[in-house]
Amino acid sequence: MPLAASMRMCGGGIARLLLVLICVDTAVTAAAPPPAAPGPGAGPEPITPIPAPPAQDPLRLALGEQLFRDTRLSGDNIRSCADCHDLASNGASANAHDVTPKGRPLALNTPTVFNATLSFKLNWEGNVGDFEDQTERILANPEIMASNLDAVLTKLRSDPQMVKQFRDAYGREPDRAALLDAIATYERSLLTPGSRFDLWLNGDASAITQEEIAGYRLFKGLGCISCHQGVNVGGNMYQRHGIFHPLAAPLPELLRVPSLRNVAATPPYFHDGSATTLREAVKAMGFAQLDRVLTAPQITAIVAFLNTLTGVYRGAPVKPAAGPHGVAQ
Amino acid sequence: VRLSSLAVGVMLGIVLLTWLLLRGIGNDGKRYEQALQAFNELAFAEASLHRDVLQARAGLLLNYDAFSASEAAMKNAVTQLRSLAQTEGLNSGPVDRLASSVVKQVELTEQFKSSNALLQNSLSYVGLLSTDPTFGDQDVQLMRAADALAAAILHLTRDTSPEAIQALEGRIEQFAPQAPTVGPDAEATQALLAHARLLSQVLPAVDRTLEALVFMPNRQSFDETRALFSSRRAAVEATAWRFRLLLYLASLLLLVALVRLGLRLRARALDPERFDKYYREVHGPMTSKLPGLKGYKYGPGRALDGGPGEFFWYWSGIFDSRQAALDAMASPEGLAGAADVPNYYHEDPIFIFFEM
C-alpha cells in the first residue's frame, strides 16, 4: 500500500475591504406656523378653521370617555366629569355656577370642554397648562371631585373589567400616568369642526349670510378681534376685564380670554355666569372692554356672526345645555 | 493546541480591535446631535417669536396662535437640553440660566400679547372714529380737536419717547374740556378720550415690553450652555481620537506582522533549495523511521514535459496495508514527522493511498 504526500504551491490573493461612509445630511426643518385661513375673496383671516381631531388610539380614547363618565372619580362616587361637562349639549352646563359636593356654588362658571385643547392654557384663569395636570388638580380639589389619584386608582383596580380595559389600552394595570393620559386623550378629541364660519373660511361663500359677514366685519372693526382671534377665536392670551368699565365679578382680575367657539350654545356668559344671553354679553363686552355703547343693530350683527361659530360634535350641532339658561339666543 | 491557541489569539485580536473601534467612534455623538438640534429649535423659536412680536406691534399679525407654538418649542428645547446635561453629568448652572431666560421671555410675551391687544383695540377705535363721516359733522372745532388728538396718537405709535408721551398728554388735556358729555357725539368723544388716555399708557408700556423681550440679554446663557456641550464634545472627541490613533497603530502592527509572516511563508515556499536541503537532511530521514515502512523514496515533482507540475515534491512509502500506513502515521515517529512539517512548509501535505 503506497502512501504519497504532495504539496501544492498556492498563489496569494489580496482581499480589499472597502469601507464606504455614507453621510446623510438631514436638513433641519422647523415647523412653520400654520397659515392664516383664506376667507373667500377676502384674503387671510385672523380666525382659522378647527383642524380635524388628532389620530388617537381607539382603546385609549374609549377608556378615556368611559372614565370621563365614571362617578368613581369623585370622592363620594356620585359625580363624574360629565356631570358638569355635558357632551350631549355644549360641553358645559346651563348653570351660572355649578355646585361643590357640599352644595355650595363654585366660584367660577364651568367653561366648556369642547375645543379646550385648542386653548393655550386651561381654566378661566389660565393657570393650568395641560389636561393631565388639570385632571389631577380637579380630582384633588375638594370643591369639585373631592378625591385624589391614589383613591381613584384603588377603586379602579378593584374592578376586573376596568383593569382589563387598562391592560388592553396600556398593557398594564391602572396607574397614574395611564389614567391621566386616557382622560387627556379623550379631551383632546373633543373638537367641534364644521361650523358655518369654518365652512366659509374654507371657501364656501354661501355658508354664511351677508348679515353674518357684516357682523364679522363689525367684530373686527370694533376691535373685538384683538383678543378673540386664532383657531379658537380666543383662548390664546390673558386679558384684564373691565378695561373701561366693570364687566362682571372683579376677581380674578386677569383671565385667559375665553374661546368664542360655540358661544351661542354656551350660556350663561362670563367667568361669573352673570350674562344670561348672548346679546347681553355682547353689549356688556362692548361697554366694559371697548368703551362703546353698542346699538341694537350692532349687537344683532355681532350675535349673527357669533351664531356662525357653532360647530358639530359627533354629527350633531352643539346645542345649549338644558337648564335655566339653556336657550338659544 | 496550536489551532486553539491561534483561535484564542484571533478572538482576542477581534475583541481588542472592536473595543478600540467603539471607543474611537465615541458614544455621545447622538446626544450631541440632539443637543445641537435643541439649540437650533430654541434659536428658531426665539427668532420666530421676535418676528411675530414685531409684526403684532405693527398690527400685521393676524392672530397670536403662533406665539404659543414658539413658546412651547422654546420650553421643549430647554427641557431637552436639561435632560441631556443631566445625562452627560454636566454643570446645570448654564442650563438653569437659559431656562430662566426662557421663562422670562414667556412672561414678557404674555404681557406683550395682553397689552398689544388693548393697543390694537384702541387704535381700531381711533381709526374707526377718524374715518366715520358722521362724527363731528356738526362741530368743526370738535372735529379739529379730535384730529389733533388722533395725530398725537399716530405720532406716539411711531415714537414712544417721553416727549411724544408728553405731547399726547397735552392733546388729551386740551381735548378733554371740549369733549361733549351730551349730544350726538358725546358717547364717541368720551370713548375717544378714554382710548387716548389708555393709549398714552399702553403704547409706551408695549414698547418697553417689546424692547425687553427682543433685546433680552440672554445671549450669554445661550452661549454658556452651548459652550458647555461643546467642551464636553471636545473632550469626548479628544478621547475618541486617542483611541482612533491606537486603533490605527494596532492596525499598523497587525499589518507589519502579516507582512512579516507572509514574507516568511513566501520565502519558505519559494526557496526550493532550502526546502530540498531541509527535507533531505532532516525530514526525509525522519520518515525512514516510520514503523512498518517497507520502502520509500522522495524527490521533486515534475510535469511530463519536465516543467513545474501541480506538486513540487513527493514522498512515496510502501506499507503492508492501509491500516499499517495509518498506524505508522499515528506512531510517535509519525507524529514527530507531522510536527516537523511547519518547519519547512506552511501547508499540510496531501496524502494519497493506493493499492499495488
Side-chain angles (χ1 to χ4, degrees):
Chain A
M1 176 70 66
L3 169 65
S6 301
M7 295 181 177
R8 198 196 310 263
M9 292 289 275
C10 300
I14 299 175
R16 293 195 178 110
L17 177 63
L18 181 63
L19 294 176
V20 181
L21 298 177
I22 301 173
C23 300
V24 180
D25 185 15
T26 306
V28 177
T29 55
E45 296 293 342
I47 298 172
T48 54
I50 290 180
Q56 305 277 17
D57 182 331
L59 292 176
R60 296 181 181 189
L61 200 58
L63 177 59
E65 180 170 4
Q66 191 172 335
L67 290 168
F68 199 81
R69 301 175 191 282
D70 197 324
T71 55
R72 286 174 294 186
L73 267 64
S74 62
D76 54 11
N77 296 315
I78 291 175
R79 57 172 57 193
S80 72
C81 306
D83 284 353
C84 292
H85 296 284
D86 177 16
L87 298 170
S89 59
N90 63 5
S93 76
N95 303 318
H97 297 271
D98 288 313
V99 294
T100 69
K102 293 182 178 175
R104 292 193 299 268
L106 287 166
L108 300 173
N109 174 254
T110 302
T112 177
V113 73
F114 282 137
N115 305 312
T117 187
L118 299 177
S119 292
F120 85 132
K121 300 282 182 185
L122 301 171
N123 295 344
W124 277 102
E125 294 168 276
N127 54 355
V128 179
D130 56 54
F131 287 124
E132 287 86 349
D133 187 18
Q134 187 191 42
T135 300
E136 189 167 0
R137 289 179 186 221
I138 286 175
L139 290 181
N141 189 335
E143 301 282 276
I144 304 179
M145 299 303 264
S147 183
N148 60 68
L149 262 177
D150 290 336
V152 172
L153 287 170
T154 301
K155 292 182 207 173
L156 297 179
R157 285 175 188 146
S158 67
D159 177 354
Q161 181 59 32
M162 186 56 77
V163 170
K164 180 180 183 310
Q165 281 184 263
F166 269 91
R167 283 194 182 283
D168 290 345
Y170 289 94
R172 58 184 191 268
E173 284 195 355
D175 64 13
R176 174 192 146 86
L179 173 67
L180 296 178
D181 182 74
I183 295 174
T185 298
Y186 176 58
E187 289 180 313
R188 280 192 281 270
S189 76
L190 299 176
L191 295 176
T192 64
S195 70
R196 289 192 295 118
F197 190 74
D198 280 1
L199 297 179
W200 181 76
L201 287 174
N202 284 326
D204 181 358
S206 64
I208 62 177
T209 66
Q210 288 303 311
E211 183 198 9
E212 289 160 346
I213 291 175
Y216 175 50
R217 288 189 181 135
L218 186 61
F219 183 85
K220 291 196 289 185
L222 286 172
C224 313
I225 199 77
S226 298
C227 290
H228 294 284
Q229 30 64 42
V231 65
N232 223 10
V233 200
N236 59 6
M237 64 188 298
Y238 297 103
Q239 192 53 275
R240 289 183 293 124
H241 61 91
I243 299 291
F244 296 101
H245 305 280
L247 176 71
L251 295 177
E253 290 181 357
L254 191 68
L255 299 172
R256 186 217 58 185
V257 173
S259 164
L260 295 185
R261 291 281 177 188
N262 304 309
V263 67
T266 54
Y269 303 101
F270 303 148
H271 54 283
D272 60 355
S274 57
T276 55
T277 70
L278 192 51
R279 289 189 69 86
E280 190 183 330
V282 169
K283 183 179 179 181
M285 283 293 289
F287 188 61
Q289 301 299 90
L290 307 178
D291 200 26
R292 295 300 306 274
V293 179
L294 298 178
T295 64
Q298 285 177 321
I299 294 172
T300 299
I302 291 174
V303 168
F305 156 64
L306 295 176
N307 272 313
T308 69
L309 295 173
T310 302
V312 176
Y313 179 65
R314 291 187 173 171
V318 175
K319 62 183 181 183
H325 304 298
V327 180
Q329 304 302 309
Chain B
V1 175
R2 283 175 59 96
L3 277 177
S4 59
S5 300
L6 184 65
V8 169
V10 168
M11 286 302 296
L12 285 175
I14 290 174
V15 168
L16 174 67
L17 293 176
T18 306
W19 180 69
L20 289 173
L21 175 68
L22 291 176
R23 295 300 306 266
I25 291 171
N27 57 2
D28 79 326
K30 191 173 180 185
R31 284 198 289 274
Y32 186 65
E33 202 173 288
Q34 288 172 336
L36 286 183
Q37 179 75 15
F39 279 115
N40 285 341
E41 286 171 4
L42 178 60
F44 183 82
E46 271 190 0
S48 298
L49 185 66
H50 293 175
R51 178 202 62 203
D52 291 340
V53 162
L54 292 168
Q55 283 191 330
R57 168 64 176 85
L60 298 174
L61 194 73
L62 289 167
N63 63 55
Y64 294 106
D65 284 349
F67 283 62
S68 304
S70 297
E71 289 175 1
M74 290 163 66
K75 288 177 183 173
N76 287 341
V78 169
T79 301
Q80 189 168 12
L81 287 172
R82 190 191 296 283
S83 168
L84 289 168
Q86 283 173 351
T87 305
E88 292 284 331
L90 301 177
N91 174 18
S92 63
V95 184
D96 289 342
R97 285 190 284 279
L98 187 63
S100 297
S101 81
V102 168
V103 168
K104 184 66 181 167
Q105 286 191 74
V106 170
E107 287 174 4
L108 288 169
T109 302
E110 293 309 322
Q111 281 179 33
F112 171 81
K113 282 157 64 179
S114 302
S115 301
N116 192 60
L118 294 179
L119 166 66
Q120 301 300 330
N121 182 5
S122 289
L123 288 178
S124 291
Y125 178 75
V126 174
L128 205 64
L129 194 68
S130 301
T131 54
D132 182 356
T134 64
F135 175 71
D137 57 353
Q138 295 176 351
D139 189 339
V140 176
Q141 289 292 341
L142 175 65
M143 194 170 66
R144 284 181 181 166
D147 285 346
L149 186 61
I153 290 171
L154 176 63
H155 179 56
L156 192 63
T157 62
R158 295 174 54 80
D159 174 11
T160 51
S161 64
E163 293 76 20
I165 297 169
Q166 201 172 4
L168 176 58
E169 287 172 347
R171 293 289 186 190
I172 291 171
E173 283 179 22
Q174 289 174 10
F175 184 77
Q178 301 177 52
T181 54
V182 293
D185 295 325
E187 186 261 329
T189 309
Q190 292 298 327
L192 176 62
L193 197 55
H195 281 284
R197 284 177 173 140
L198 184 70
L199 283 169
S200 70
Q201 297 171 3
V202 168
L203 260 167
V206 165
D207 279 7
R208 280 196 300 273
T209 307
L210 188 149
E211 192 174 337
L213 178 61
V214 174
F215 300 107
M216 176 179 273
N218 62 333
R219 186 72 211 176
Q220 188 180 351
S221 59
F222 187 91
D223 289 344
E224 277 177 2
T225 311
R226 195 166 176 132
L228 193 69
F229 282 94
S230 296
S231 301
R232 169 70 177 160
R233 178 61 179 168
V236 170
E237 186 64 17
T239 304
W241 265 110
R242 283 196 291 276
F243 278 97
R244 269 177 256 173
L245 188 62
L246 284 174
L247 180 64
Y248 175 70
L249 291 174
S251 302
L252 280 183
L253 287 174
L254 194 60
L255 185 64
V256 168
L258 285 172
V259 167
R260 284 192 62 191
L261 180 62
L263 288 175
R264 281 179 61 194
L265 292 175
R266 188 170 184 272
R268 288 185 181 187
L270 298 183
D271 189 352
E273 286 183 11
R274 180 181 176 280
F275 185 98
D276 190 290
K277 184 172 186 290
Y278 188 89
Y279 204 95
R280 290 183 193 282
E281 291 179 0
V282 180
H283 195 74
M286 288 176 76
T287 61
S288 67
K289 297 173 185 170
L290 288 171
L293 181 65
K294 299 300 182 186
Y296 73 99
K297 55 183 178 179
Y298 53 80
R302 291 281 185 275
L304 284 175
D305 60 1
E310 180 72 13
F311 301 102
F312 77 99
W313 195 265
Y314 79 95
W315 178 93
S316 174
I318 298 172
F319 295 86
D320 286 340
S321 66
R322 174 189 176 90
Q323 188 57 48
L326 290 174
D327 290 343
M329 297 303 291
S331 68
E333 293 81 359
L335 293 174
D340 186 50
V341 171
N343 293 327
Y344 63 92
Y345 196 65
H346 62 286
E347 285 189 18
D348 290 332
I350 295 170
F351 293 92
I352 303 168
F353 290 94
F354 55 92
E355 302 281 350
M356 291 182 67

